[in-house]
Amino acid sequence: MIQPMAVGSERMYCGSRPVRDPKYLRFIRRQASVVSGFGGCDPCHTGPHAYSQKASDLDVIPLTRKEHEQFDKNQSAYAELHGLDIPALIREFNDTYFGEMEKRA
């Protein structure tokens, strides 16, 4: 006979908290836009943008203010239009940043 599982008092679903890293955002601001190549970029969060939601600071790409606004209107269409592989770009920026951090340590 199968015994029912005990129900604990802890939360069943614990959403992960997004990483907040001001140093990483400064690093992204120093990069050229992945679309136009211009400097003076915003860190553009690429994940969820619903109310009270924001992607991790480690999931950003550098875009100019105008590009950022266009990206936020329709992320997937913008990425397709400009041929952006968002996950690959995020990995590349993360690898570069954390590689620099390891060299300094």
Side-chain angles (χ1 to χ4, degrees):
M1 183 169 174
I2 298 174
Q3 296 294 322
M5 293 177 57
V7 177
S9 60
E10 63 273 6
R11 290 178 52 188
M12 184 178 267
Y13 300 104
C14 300
S16 62
R17 293 187 134 207
V19 173
R20 297 292 170 241
D21 189 343
K23 290 180 184 177
Y24 186 76
L25 296 179
R26 277 195 300 276
F27 163 77
I28 291 294
R29 285 184 188 99
R30 292 192 310 262
Q31 308 305 310
S33 164
V34 296
V35 172
S36 65
F38 292 123
C41 289
D42 287 341
C44 180
H45 290 84
T46 60
H49 283 77
Y51 292 108
S52 301
Q53 277 188 323
K54 194 171 192 181
S56 169
D57 286 349
L58 301 179
D59 294 333
V60 299
I61 57 173
L63 294 174
T64 65
R65 168 57 29 202
K66 185 176 180 180
E67 294 164 349
H68 189 161
E69 290 170 357
Q70 292 169 344
F71 179 85
D72 283 344
K73 289 178 184 174
N74 188 334
Q75 292 183 17
S76 58
Y78 190 84
E80 188 175 327
L81 176 67
H82 294 285
L84 301 177
D85 183 349
I86 302 291
L89 289 167
I90 290 170
R91 276 192 307 276
E92 182 180 331
F93 286 113
N94 279 274
D95 290 347
T96 301
Y97 176 75
F98 289 110
E100 288 179 11
M101 295 298 286
E102 285 178 8
K103 289 178 187 176
R104 293 179 189 165

